[in-house]
Amino acid sequence: MTKQTCTLTEAQRRSFASIFVLDKMVRKGRRFAVSPTDPDEMVLREVLQALFNEHLIEIQGADYVPTEAGKARVRTFRQRYEEYLTVYDIYCAVDLATGEFAFEHYYDFDDNSWRLYLQQERWEDLRVAVAIHKELDPVEIVFMSFVMEGRFDDYADGKWELGILSGELWDEILAIVNSNLHPCELGYTTTDPNDPSRTLEVTPNDVMQDVLTRGGQIMLELVRRGQEIEAEQRALEAASASPATTTTTTTETVYDYDFVITDPYVYYTPYLSPYYVSPVWTVPLYPTVVVF
């Protein structure tokens, strides 16, 4: 099988940008003028028009504001983002020679040591290969990593309006997608341990099934360990609370439109199957942007 080269049209790029802008509006309370005078806002006119055309934002006075449909769309985006962090990011560092995942040792390091550990040359980034194997959009997976790393926010001294539309950053995303390993590159031959004179072919599909099976097991172990740590922290906080404090207060919950999982272990258990893809990855998310 020949390795395919991924491309990205201007319309597709602006569609990705539009959900990023909508996320800023919903979660950060950012408003945009219908008739902008700020040069930074003016570059987003086509993106905002696409959001308006799909009724994800509406006009309120002189500004665009998100609609209920827009808020729902952001919740879907945050759910995908949460799944990316939990499920797909663990494939960023895999030793194909040994089958070891860097994330097997995630809780063994502090932040600085962890970053150094990830820089070891033996690790291969298989996030693109996993996306292709699961028939997801590999460009979206890398886009999620850029969102996570704040790459768009860091552009041009924090002028994210320029960063999200920058051809330079999107060219970098495409370069990552096309230079990373694809499933078709992961097959190999090996000697039959039961018959040294015989050669066995390990297909790319065999490799991906093994990688995804092991990755699912590691992911669930990380989720379980994370829950244990949170429980330990809550116990410590409760134990250190002053016994003299008996006042009961009622607080209003403020939702930041992040996706909240009640029981992460149960939610992510289906990913033990290498074939599983959450339905959230197949529902419409990105607005249609027409570029003239």
Side-chain angles (χ1 to χ4, degrees), residues 189-200:
T189 58
T190 186
T191 300
D192 187 342
N194 299 317
D195 183 0
S197 65
R198 183 173 173 229
T199 299
L200 297 177

Side-chain angles (χ1 to χ4, degrees), residues 19 21-31 51 54-58 60 64-79 255-259 285:
I19 201 68
V21 171
L22 185 62
D23 184 65
K24 290 282 187 183
M25 296 177 72
V26 172
R27 299 180 63 248
K28 304 301 180 182
R30 176 68 186 268
R31 287 195 173 201
L51 293 170
E54 295 204 13
H55 309 290
L56 300 175
I57 60 176
E58 61 187 1
Q60 190 175 96
Y64 286 116
V65 297
T67 63
E68 290 303 314
K71 294 174 183 178
R73 192 71 63 93
V74 166
R75 282 192 288 272
T76 300
F77 174 64
R78 301 309 296 185
Q79 184 176 356
Y255 294 97
D256 195 28
Y257 296 98
D258 281 324
F259 175 70
L285 178 63

